[in-house]
Structure formats: C-alpha cells, structure tokens
Amino acid sequence: MGSPKANVVCPPFLSFRHYDPAMQFFRYEGVKEKLRTRTLTDREALPYLLSMFGFIAVAVVFPLTVGSHLWDRINQGGTILLAILGLLYAYSQNGGANGRDLALKYIVLGEIVVARCSVFSVPVGLVVIWLGNQLSLRDQTMGWYDTVLWLIFQVVAYQRLGRHIADTRG
C-alpha cells in the first residue's frame, strides 16, 4: 500500500517529498546541531521562517481588525499575502532547495532594502498623499488610495529584496 504523501500535488518548494519528520517546532536539539554544523538547508529552514511570519501576523495584524473597515482588512490581508509571496519569491531567487543561508540573507538584506525604500518612499509618499488630498482621492482614514500606495511599497520592497538575494548566489 502506497504512502498517502505520494499523491499530493503541490509546487516543488512546498513538496512533502522533502519533509523531514525530525523537524519539530518545539524542540531545539536537532535544529541547533544542524545550525552549529551549518548543515541546515534552506528547504529545511523555510517552514520555520513561514511559521514566524504566521506568529507575527497573528500578533500584529489580526488584532487591528476590531472596529476596522473594508480597506483596513484589505490592507492587512494584502500585507500578509505579500509577506508570504515575498518570502517564497526570495526563496526561489536564492536558488530554491539548492540555496544557502536564506534566513540570514532575508534579515540582513531585508533591513537594508526597507531602509533604502523608506528613504525614497517617504518624500515621494508625502507628495503623493498631498496630491491625493488635493484631488479628494483620500479621506482621513485608511482608504483605497492609502492601501494601494502601501501595497505598491511592499511589492517594490520584496522585488528588490529578491533581486539582491539573487546577487548573492554562488
């Protein structure tokens, strides 16, 4: 009788063929040894990174839905979706299952990308928000205009991060 995992169809980066049953989210021993010996692969680290994104989303984004309106929810849902897609894009740009040091690159290069994008987007954003106010495209709350601007910022940041991660491949 065949394994039920053999019939699962999913993208290669989420394939259960590479699932390590020893991976445990509550135990340190095995993963610490792999980190110490630098034998933890990006494929093995990806679920941990995705899990951290989930914890952050639950802790930060979802409590904000109380009393929020449609555009707040679209903004929050879009932010979560783009974070997941951005991480998967960075994983692929790092070489997928053959990549190395994704978490390290993601954190270090991600901070630089966000800092650079912020330096550029703050003055541009102020002008675009001012124009939106002058043309009555936005009100005092988070609306479609602000949501679109924020989602565009995120798409650009994740694209730039993926590009810089790709530059680090051996």
Side-chain angles (χ1 to χ4, degrees):
M1 185 163 153
S3 168
K5 292 181 184 177
N7 297 327
V8 175
V9 177
C10 60
F13 56 82
L14 295 176
S15 173
F16 290 111
R17 291 179 313 209
H18 304 292
Y19 177 72
D20 179 6
M23 182 186 80
Q24 298 178 24
F25 288 99
F26 295 103
R27 298 182 61 123
Y28 293 110
E29 294 79 21
V31 75
K32 282 174 36 178
E33 179 61 22
K34 284 187 168 199
L35 288 167
R36 188 184 67 70
T37 60
R38 296 189 55 86
T39 58
L40 185 73
T41 67
D42 278 354
R43 177 66 191 93
E44 292 170 319
L46 185 63
Y48 293 98
L49 205 49
L50 283 168
S51 177
M52 283 303 302
F53 277 52
F55 290 134
I56 291 168
V58 168
V60 175
V61 176
F62 285 122
L64 299 176
T65 60
V66 176
S68 63
H69 59 77
L70 176 64
W71 286 107
D72 289 327
R73 292 184 183 143
I74 291 171
N75 189 334
Q76 293 158 353
T79 296
I80 292 169
L81 178 64
L82 288 175
I84 292 168
L85 293 176
L87 175 57
L88 294 176
Y89 175 67
Y91 174 77
S92 71
Q93 293 300 296
N94 192 45
N98 297 320
R100 300 298 284 162
D101 301 321
L102 175 65
L104 181 64
K105 293 173 186 179
Y106 196 92
I107 292 167
V108 172
L109 295 173
E111 188 281 331
I112 296 168
V113 166
V114 168
R116 287 179 150 199
C117 285
S118 296
V119 166
F120 174 76
S121 69
V122 167
V124 170
L126 290 173
V127 170
V128 171
I129 288 172
W130 178 81
L131 284 172
N133 287 336
Q134 298 306 309
L135 299 172
S136 299
L137 296 175
R138 60 183 305 272
D139 56 22
Q140 298 304 317
T141 62
M142 179 71 75
W144 73 268
Y145 191 78
D146 302 287
T147 298
V148 168
L149 291 177
W150 174 237
L151 295 177
I152 289 171
F153 172 84
Q154 292 177 80
V155 168
V156 169
Y158 287 121
Q159 186 280 326
R160 299 309 306 149
L161 177 58
R163 171 71 170 90
H164 292 297
I165 286 176
D167 288 344
T168 66
R169 284 189 295 197

